[in-house]
Amino acid sequence: MGAHPYVGAGVVRNEDAQLLTGRAIFVDDVHLAGTLHAAFLRSDFAHGRLLSLDTSAARRREGVIAVYTAEDLGDYWCHGPLLVPPPPIAGLTFNTATLVPLARDRVVHVGEPMAVVVAESRYIAEDALEDIVVDIEPLPVVVGLEEALAPDSPVIHEALGTNVAAHAVQRKGDYEAARSEAHTVVSRKFSYDRGVAGSLENRGILADWNPRNEELTVWDTTQAPIPIRNGLAERLGLLQSQVRVVAPFLGGGFGPKMMMFYPEEVLIPWISMRLGRPVKWIEDRAESFFATANERLQLHEAELAVDSEGRILGVKDVFLHDSGAYDPYGITVPINTQCTLLGPYRVPNYYSEFTAVFTNKTIVTPVRGAGRQHGVFVMERLLDFAAKELGIDRVEIRKRNFLTPDEFPHNHEILFQDSAPLVYDSGDYLPAMEKAAEMIGYREFLEEEQPKARDAGRQLGLGIVSYVEGTGIGPYEGARVSVEPSGKVQLATGVGTQGQGHFTTFAQIVADQLGVDVTDVNVATGDTREFSWGTGTFASRGIVVAGSACHEAAIVVRKKILALASEALEAAEDDLELADGVVRVKGSDLSISLGELAVRANPLRGTVEPGAEPGLEATSYFGPARGTTASGVHAMIVEIDPETSEVSIQRYVVVHDCGRLVNPVIVDGQIHGGVAHGIGNAFFEELVYDDQGQLLNASFMDYLLPTATDVPHMEVAHVETPSPLNPLGVKGVGEAGAIPVGALYAQALEDALQGAVEILEMPLSPGRLFDLVHGTPSDPEAAS
Amino acid sequence: MEITLTVNGVEHRADVEPRLLLSDFLRHALELTGTHVGCEHGVCGACTVLMDGAAVRSCLVFAVQADGCELATVEGLAPGGGELHPIQDAFREAHGLQCGFCTPGILMTLVPFLRENPDPSEAEVRAALSGNLCRCTGYQNIVAATRLAASKMREVEV
Amino acid sequence: MKPAPFEYRRPDTVEEVLHLLAEYGDEAKLLAGGQSLIPTMNFRLAQPAVLIDLNAVKGLDSVDEADDGGLRLGAMVRQAAAERSALVAEKVPLLAETLPFVAHAQIRNRGTIGGNLAHADPRSELPAVMLALGASVRVRGPDGERSIGAGDFFTGFFGTALEEGELLTEVVLPPAVEGGGQAFLEVSRRLGDYAMVGVAASVVCDPAGRCHRASIALLSVGSRPMLAEQASACLVGERPSSAAVLAAGHAAGNKDIDPQADMHASVAYRRHLATVLVRRALTAAFERAGCVMGEGAS
């Protein structure tokens, strides 16, 4: 084993055997004797006065143990935390309306919980929901974003007196001055809608209060077990050490399983404490559409000012953002939109203004990409229109505006979601664009393939777009590495895991430092008893922040190993090498195993030197100064059936830069999944609300996730510009694939249609495409 | 209602309420939690098991209907002793899973598919998988793993 | 998403089924494959008091050649069994061609032919196939047995001509005729979804090469599957030509159907798809019938 044999290699995953054989434990797989099952009564109305709830019949039903309404919660009823306070943007308006555990006198979206039934089985609990008599006086409903701001609009949160959740302006330079000198200004209105995260596993919580040792254990489908532990302890009046939160294997996260303190998440532990029994709630798919956060519509009015060569002089963007009924996650999503819009380009002047709006719909919080795709869509579309107007090739206009490697770090002079200035750490965009153009056969397509296809009556189009993505934000993560007497290594970290391969990539990082087999590094993650400090897995930060912490801790343990081995082998540290689980004096047979050293480091007799620590163990923390910037170029070729408007993807190319690759197979897998999610957003997925705030497609029958026949084979290549902000040189990749697909699809469609229509909206179904091309009216509900 | 059925070769007798879904019976009565539940309306495929050899959605069958049937779940796939079934092995080798939640349903869909189609094309594999949703992988490595599994199984046959 | 409680009965014979139907009336629901009923029950949109499971009933799952050379399919024949049946492929190629469009393999392994027809979903493929082929169903009820032609069977949105107490026992498909050809096409959002529009076309040409009969059934274009009569009129008696099938497509899309908009397709898009699919399906059907298509009107 040479130096760093694992980082950079596509090793198979340590966790797979468990997952493939059905042994892996997900939250609903935890069975505790005496468990009770909860079901929530949810509002059928989007907006209304909750006049009364009669739960008496439900309480009388056989098998029902308890029923709680807001009134029954007493002091426990309160507004939840503001999870991400907004960055300190000058002149910011921010109106807070955080979640409540159960609606008390108002319901503000369909599916808002009003009561919870606890019964011997979930079947009985659902029976009892039908026993509850609800009296709601419907109120006028706020659905559209522009309507929400109209002076005569009903107000959702009366105490705020407005439906404005936030208003923010971020500026760089002087856009108006730049505009006055522009050769060409293109301006358009855009609408970009997104949908659910769509984890195959819904949310779930099992809480077990043990009254004898006064400890609460909570199994939770959370991406952030430590913040949940801390928040629950505070809310329940317990010590943090009395609460253990376990996020076991999770069936996907994609954002909405972050530290949300959802109503169910704060109620189930409280109920377990009241009843002294384990209580489980497993979200079903029907409730997930209403009860779990998603992303939705933004409406943009944007313009791009360029000189005669197509060089960007400035961008102005004013947009509305749908917050849904509450805004517990602050303004992370629209801030991401604002910051990601700038892309890989040199934008000397920028004016960006958004208004986040409360509506009578499920809350909006980050979903894979988290507002970034909206920004990329606006910028890439504007560049396409500018290129067309100036007669410049679309690849060429992008190349002319790319930041060059000598411009890094590049400060965009606005604030990012982590409240730090938006500074790109590193990047090299031109090679990625050239590689993507080469892989997709850009020139050959435009000069040969497309004209030939057009002559044959076929509609073939190509898209090629680029984007950057802020990843790997702080504040910090930690890791503890310890060598056990067996010679195997235990690695603990606080972030949860939802399929990213942490059991393998973290092990690779540590195995390289300690010279052990990657399968001999056992990773514990997502259990607050294993590791008590950190935030969680979101914002494409796992490998960047937690991975770096693993690296740092492993380096400290390596030093301890070498120091101890130097004594044991009576050799200078410089003469030692770590490989195959032993420390060896270079060029000799003299060696000692890590297990033996671990035993020596923890003696039963004798003395440990003053100031020394027992064991071969270290805990380290890593906190980046700010996020690191990943980037990419995607290209696709589509064919439209001119008669049916069906669209098929012929080719899909990704050139991505996430710095150094820890495990290229896993990285490619992350990109594949992201692209598939993006294809869903572009082609299939849309939450369709009617004018009463009713969701019309709350099932997997009607809300369409892409299947194996909808996602094409993807060709993925990499450019590697290491990040200077962490010791591994890595950048995040979890969200990347999902970000540019809408912009890409729009460009490819326009190209196929030879500019017959401008694509200013996403998603775009074949039916909507047909209506756009033929000027026929789409269904009013579907168009809302 | 009394039922008797065989799961992974083991006979079980149970008294079940007629409305109990087979998925819940397997997961919670027999504690065979490898079969996952993702939608309970027959779209996602996570709960796919074999019922008398045919892949079915266990959320769309009542446990009482499995009376007298032979069922197979993901727990019965590996031959035991730490070994993996060739399909499982191929999924590991080709990184055909990420969060692994949809995986058991996909494996159980593929068992009869590969039995009937020992050398499927990519298009055939994709069509066979179209009744199983995966949100993590973009299907690419699942397709690759399936074709790898087919080749492994053909080798075993020879 | 757990179903409400119900009483479960599992009769062995058709007689017992009829007896139970008589006993429970509209409190009872028949459970065939359950692939549409059970989801509805899981959502608690359906809460039948009694479920009569047909899966143990003997004699409802055979696939036989009929005396006239057609095909008799027991109501409880699984869609997957029909899909794999050599007899189905030989006798009713249109059905074999269409079955892979019905949901997904796992659903077809449970779903039955009879259950699908009795459910009468206007978006479903099999009712349209039955209409196009002029199939009939046999039903048994308190007053004995009767036969209902497909054209009379589908009466409206999820509605059939089945009377209270009646059980659909068999589907009877007429024999193939010389000079016949069929085709099925649909456009759906994803493979296995209900189509936005689908077409089952069955044509028969006489030895002189003229269209003798054209049955064109559409799905997802109204409250029930429907035959495009005006489209047929463009063809019958004519020598098939690209102009004639184009005219038939337009007649179907613009005159025969009465589609509704939903979140997947507008009225205009549905009409347009019907126009295109009818033309394409007819073209394929005539080709399979061995008819040489002319260019223009004959």
Side-chain angles (χ1 to χ4, degrees):
Chain A
M1 231 182 287
H4 305 296
Y6 286 123
V7 171
V11 297
V12 297
R13 302 203 315 171
N14 284 343
E15 55 267 58
D16 282 354
Q18 262 176 294
L19 290 162
L20 284 161
T21 52
R23 284 183 283 124
I25 302 259
F26 293 83
V27 169
D28 192 31
D29 301 343
V30 180
H31 288 123
L32 301 178
T35 297
L36 298 172
H37 299 268
F40 285 81
L41 179 72
R42 298 180 182 279
S43 173
D44 290 331
F45 292 92
H47 198 192
R49 263 189 208 95
L50 178 52
L51 301 177
S52 71
L53 281 169
D54 181 354
T55 60
S56 50
R59 288 175 205 268
R60 284 195 302 269
R61 180 179 281 271
E62 195 184 334
V64 171
I65 307 298
V67 181
Y68 301 99
T69 64
E71 204 177 310
D72 301 313
L73 300 185
D75 289 347
Y76 195 65
W77 194 98
C78 67
H79 281 271
L82 173 62
L83 300 158
V84 184
I89 296 167
L92 171 81
T93 301
F94 180 68
N95 293 317
T96 310
T98 56
L99 293 164
V100 296
L102 291 171
R104 196 161 55 179
D105 39 31
R106 265 257 170 122
V107 289
V108 291
H109 68 90
V110 173
E112 182 165 30
M114 301 181 294
V116 53
V117 172
V118 186
E120 294 290 351
S121 80
R122 173 67 178 241
Y123 289 76
I124 296 170
E126 290 192 21
D127 295 342
L129 294 182
E130 300 187 342
D131 298 334
I132 300 174
V133 183
V134 189
D135 190 4
I136 291 177
E137 177 196 337
L139 291 168
V141 176
V142 182
V143 178
L145 302 186
E146 283 152 328
E147 293 81 346
L149 296 176
D152 58 346
S153 170
V155 172
I156 295 171
H157 299 291
E158 278 174 332
L160 298 176
T162 172
N163 290 325
V164 172
H167 176 262
V169 178
Q170 295 218 66
R171 282 189 191 84
K172 174 190 186 186
D174 182 346
Y175 174 75
E176 290 305 328
R179 185 187 204 279
S180 67
E181 287 165 21
H183 174 275
T184 298
V185 176
V186 288
S187 59
R188 297 288 189 283
K189 289 185 178 186
F190 302 99
S191 80
Y192 197 101
D193 206 342
R194 285 198 76 203
V196 303
S199 306
L200 264 287
E201 178 201 36
N202 287 307
R203 290 189 297 121
I205 298 138
L206 168 62
D208 180 25
W209 169 248
N210 183 332
R212 296 180 69 169
N213 63 9
E214 298 193 329
E215 280 183 3
L216 176 70
T217 307
V218 180
W219 286 266
D220 186 358
T221 54
T222 180
Q223 296 170 230
I226 294 167
I228 291 293
R229 187 268 318 267
N230 299 348
L232 285 179
E234 185 190 347
R235 193 123 171 200
L236 294 164
L238 298 172
L239 296 171
Q240 289 186 3
S241 57
Q242 283 178 284
V243 183
R244 176 187 182 196
V245 173
V246 186
F249 279 103
L250 258 64
F254 311 117
K257 290 179 179 170
M258 282 182 289
M259 59 285 208
M260 298 296 290
F261 296 96
Y262 282 106
E264 305 87 358
E265 213 164 21
V266 296
L267 283 172
I268 299 298
W270 180 82
I271 294 170
S272 176
M273 289 182 73
R274 300 271 293 193
L275 299 177
R277 285 176 70 174
V279 180
K280 186 187 261 189
W281 169 74
I282 299 298
E283 182 184 58
D284 65 35
R285 186 56 62 186
E287 19 180 19
S288 80
F289 281 93
F290 306 97
T292 290
N294 52 53
E295 272 194 49
R296 286 191 306 273
L297 185 65
Q298 286 182 359
L299 297 171
H300 289 251
E301 275 193 68
E303 56 181 60
L304 171 70
V306 289
D307 71 12
S308 59
E309 306 288 303
R311 289 196 176 79
I312 297 169
L313 301 177
V315 179
K316 180 182 180 186
D317 179 32
V318 178
F319 68 97
L320 298 179
H321 167 80
D322 190 347
S323 280
Y326 300 99
D327 59 354
Y329 220 80
I331 53 174
T332 299
V333 176
I335 287 275
N336 273 349
T337 306
Q338 194 165 53
C339 289
T340 310
L341 184 141
L342 293 165
Y345 309 113
R346 196 178 303 107
V347 181
N349 301 284
Y350 184 38
Y351 176 92
S352 173
E353 174 181 355
F354 72 79
T355 307
V357 180
F358 288 117
T359 59
N360 288 122
K361 290 176 253 174
T362 294
I363 60 168
V364 167
T365 71
V367 173
R368 194 176 210 170
R372 294 178 179 88
Q373 28 279 83
H374 304 69
V376 170
F377 184 71
V378 171
M379 186 65 169
E380 294 297 305
R381 294 275 61 209
L382 288 173
L383 278 171
D384 289 339
F385 296 131
K388 205 167 278 178
E389 214 161 305
L390 293 169
I392 302 173
D393 174 83
R394 52 199 142 135
V395 167
E396 179 57 30
I397 198 170
R398 287 172 169 82
K399 285 183 179 176
R400 283 181 195 174
N401 287 291
F402 279 154
L403 292 164
T404 52
D406 58 337
E407 290 175 89
F408 293 92
H410 185 82
N411 190 344
H412 276 299
E413 298 170 30
I414 59 173
L415 293 180
F416 191 41
Q417 54 153 308
D418 57 353
S419 295
L422 180 66
V423 178
Y424 292 0
D425 57 335
S426 66
D428 193 0
Y429 307 129
L430 190 62
M433 177 57 85
E434 285 177 341
K435 194 164 188 170
E438 186 197 317
M439 283 170 72
I440 199 87
Y442 184 68
R443 284 279 145 234
E444 299 82 342
F445 177 83
L446 291 186
E447 286 162 15
E448 293 164 33
E449 203 178 330
Q450 189 178 42
K452 222 181 280 176
R454 281 180 179 161
D455 287 346
R458 294 171 61 200
Q459 295 181 335
L460 246 60
L462 183 148
I464 185 163
V465 301
S466 47
Y467 63 99
V468 299
E469 177 201 4
T471 74
I473 54 171
Y476 77 96
E477 290 298 337
R480 185 179 64 249
V481 171
S482 69
V483 181
E484 302 221 350
S486 61
K488 296 195 176 185
V489 178
Q490 182 68 17
L491 166 62
T493 176
V495 297
T497 192
Q498 306 94 41
Q500 296 89 343
H502 294 149
F503 297 94
T504 309
T505 50
F506 292 168
Q508 286 176 262
I509 291 166
V510 169
D512 274 358
Q513 290 304 323
L514 303 188
V516 296
D517 195 280
V518 69
T519 59
D520 284 337
V521 182
N522 183 52
V523 178
T525 182
D527 182 344
T528 60
R529 183 153 292 175
E530 294 281 348
F531 202 84
S532 194
W533 299 94
T535 47
T537 302
F538 50 86
S540 299
R541 66 192 292 278
I543 199 72
V544 179
V545 189
S548 294
C550 294
H551 178 76
E552 302 287 287
I555 284 175
V556 178
V557 172
R558 180 188 172 88
K559 281 184 186 149
K560 289 188 178 184
I561 290 169
L562 288 174
L564 197 59
S566 159
E567 268 179 52
L569 298 173
E570 296 179 343
E573 284 184 34
D574 285 349
D575 294 334
L576 302 177
E577 60 182 10
L578 270 79
D580 307 325
V582 300
V583 185
R584 186 176 286 114
V585 179
K586 287 179 198 164
S588 84
D589 292 340
L590 216 54
S591 71
I592 184 165
S593 73
L594 291 194
E596 238 173 294
L597 287 169
V599 173
R600 279 178 180 242
N602 186 23
L604 288 172
R605 293 287 183 275
T607 46
V608 170
E609 303 272 319
E613 291 166 354
L616 296 176
E617 177 171 301
T619 302
S620 294
Y621 298 91
F622 180 78
R626 55 179 192 275
T628 170
T629 315
S631 63
V633 177
H634 289 211
M636 77 178 355
I637 294 173
V638 298
E639 175 158 14
I640 307 173
D641 181 325
E643 288 195 320
T644 64
S645 297
E646 290 171 284
V647 183
S648 63
I649 306 174
Q650 307 288 330
R651 295 269 313 276
Y652 201 107
V653 165
V654 178
V655 178
H656 192 255
D657 183 355
C658 54
R660 194 159 161 228
L661 307 177
V662 173
N663 185 322
V665 174
I666 288 177
V667 167
D668 286 358
Q670 291 290 307
I671 291 171
H672 295 159
V675 170
H677 198 147
I679 287 171
N681 291 149
F683 288 61
F684 296 106
E685 299 180 43
E686 184 177 10
L687 292 161
V688 183
Y689 287 88
D690 70 7
D691 60 3
Q692 291 304 304
Q694 297 289 341
L695 181 58
L696 301 178
N697 56 343
S699 81
F700 275 171
M701 292 276 287
D702 299 316
Y703 182 92
L704 311 178
L705 296 188
T707 73
T709 47
D710 303 312
V711 181
H713 182 84
M714 296 158 256
E715 303 155 58
V716 182
H718 299 276
V719 168
E720 294 189 40
T721 56
S723 171
L725 300 179
N726 63 70
L728 295 164
V730 294
K731 301 175 175 183
V733 68
E735 299 171 88
I739 293 171
V741 189
L744 183 67
Y745 185 44
Q747 194 196 87
L749 288 179
E750 270 181 19
D751 188 36
L753 295 167
Q754 304 190 58
V757 288
E758 286 190 344
I759 308 292
L760 304 172
E761 63 185 61
M762 277 291 139
L764 205 66
S765 66
R768 180 67 187 142
L769 181 63
F770 174 88
D771 290 333
L772 279 179
V773 171
H774 294 85
T776 47
S778 294
D779 172 54
E781 278 166 358
S784 70
Chain B
M1 191 175 161
E2 282 278 338
I3 58 170
T4 305
L5 72 176
T6 307
V7 185
N8 303 327
V10 179
E11 191 178 281
H12 297 270
R13 277 165 204 278
D15 186 17
V16 298
E17 202 187 351
R19 63 166 162 169
L20 184 68
L21 299 172
L22 179 59
S23 46
D24 284 336
F25 174 72
L26 290 169
R27 291 181 44 74
H28 302 307
L30 302 187
E31 299 204 11
L32 291 169
T33 53
T35 298
H36 295 151
V37 169
C39 76
E40 291 179 304
H41 54 284
V43 181
C44 79
C47 68
T48 303
V49 300
L50 302 188
M51 193 164 166
D52 293 331
V56 303
R57 319 280 209 206
S58 61
C59 75
L60 297 190
V61 178
F62 296 112
V64 288
Q65 296 187 281
D67 189 19
C69 289
E70 291 221 11
L71 300 180
T73 70
V74 69
E75 286 92 345
L77 208 48
E83 273 185 57
L84 297 178
H85 183 281
I87 303 180
Q88 292 169 319
D89 204 33
F91 268 66
R92 183 162 176 265
E93 205 174 316
H95 189 31
L97 65 156
Q98 289 181 26
C99 81
F101 194 82
C102 69
T103 309
I106 287 180
L107 298 178
M108 299 318 285
T109 298
L110 290 175
V111 169
F113 171 73
L114 289 176
R115 197 167 55 216
E116 289 169 29
N117 302 274
D119 190 11
S121 68
E122 175 170 341
E124 286 166 338
V125 171
R126 286 183 181 272
L129 290 168
S130 66
N132 293 79
L133 297 176
C134 168
R135 192 57 147 175
C136 294
T137 64
Y139 305 101
Q140 184 148 322
N141 290 344
I142 296 179
V143 174
T146 305
R147 301 191 73 193
L148 179 63
S151 70
K152 280 175 188 279
M153 289 162 77
R154 286 198 305 274
E155 276 169 32
V156 174
E157 295 287 312
V158 169
Chain C
M1 291 187 65
K2 309 298 181 190
F6 53 83
E7 189 181 333
Y8 176 75
R9 305 301 291 267
R10 186 166 52 197
D12 296 325
T13 64
V14 170
E15 287 70 28
E16 276 179 79
V17 175
L18 297 178
H19 184 77
L20 289 167
L21 281 174
E23 185 182 340
Y24 292 111
D26 59 10
E27 293 205 327
K29 265 279 196 192
L30 294 170
L31 174 63
Q35 304 299 283
S36 296
L37 177 59
I38 299 178
T40 318
M41 292 175 68
N42 289 357
F43 279 109
R44 294 201 179 213
L45 297 172
Q47 301 196 9
V50 181
L51 217 48
I52 304 169
D53 188 348
L54 300 176
N55 285 278
V57 177
K58 291 175 187 71
L60 292 183
D61 60 352
S62 57
V63 180
D64 299 303
E65 185 171 350
D67 295 341
D68 64 356
L71 194 75
R72 292 167 44 215
L73 282 168
M76 288 298 289
V77 169
R78 308 272 177 209
Q79 290 150 12
E83 190 181 351
R84 283 165 210 198
S85 158
L87 201 56
V88 170
E90 184 203 328
K91 297 287 175 191
V92 199
L94 181 63
L95 181 57
E97 179 186 355
T98 305
L99 279 163
F101 291 98
V102 179
H104 298 102
Q106 298 100 322
I107 297 290
R108 297 194 294 275
N109 279 336
R110 288 296 293 171
T112 64
I113 300 286
N116 181 290
L117 298 181
H119 187 54
D121 191 321
R123 304 165 298 175
S124 183
E125 288 85 0
L126 300 186
V129 168
M130 298 304 155
L131 272 183
L133 292 177
S136 60
V137 297
R138 296 196 72 76
V139 304
R140 284 185 55 186
D143 304 326
E145 196 171 18
R146 64 182 179 126
S147 177
I148 309 170
D152 297 323
F153 184 73
F154 303 104
T155 55
F157 196 61
F158 294 97
T160 69
L162 282 168
E163 300 283 342
E164 200 174 305
E166 281 187 327
L167 171 72
L168 193 165
T169 55
E170 192 174 68
V171 181
V172 181
L173 292 140
V177 292
E178 194 68 23
Q182 301 91 30
F184 181 85
L185 286 175
E186 69 175 35
V187 173
S188 61
R189 294 295 304 275
R190 303 172 304 183
L191 180 64
D193 283 342
Y194 285 118
M196 292 183 282
V197 174
V199 178
S202 175
V203 300
V204 181
C205 291
D206 64 21
R210 287 187 184 274
C211 176
H212 171 66
R213 212 187 73 199
S215 297
I216 304 152
L218 289 105
L219 55 105
S220 284
V221 294
S223 62
R224 60 194 170 105
M226 58 177 73
L227 281 171
E229 309 278 0
Q230 301 196 53
S232 298
C234 298
L235 300 162
V236 174
E238 304 290 325
R239 195 172 292 280
S241 65
S242 44
V245 295
L246 186 64
H250 281 290
N254 300 321
K255 296 178 190 164
D256 282 315
I257 62 173
D258 179 24
Q260 300 290 305
D262 64 16
M263 67 188 82
H264 301 303
S266 64
V267 169
Y269 184 47
R270 279 212 156 84
R271 288 194 184 281
H272 176 79
L273 283 179
T275 304
V276 172
L277 292 182
V278 164
R279 192 198 77 227
R280 287 182 180 178
L282 285 170
T283 305
F286 279 120
E287 193 185 309
R288 289 173 187 177
C291 248
V292 182
M293 293 262 286
E295 291 251 317
S298 55

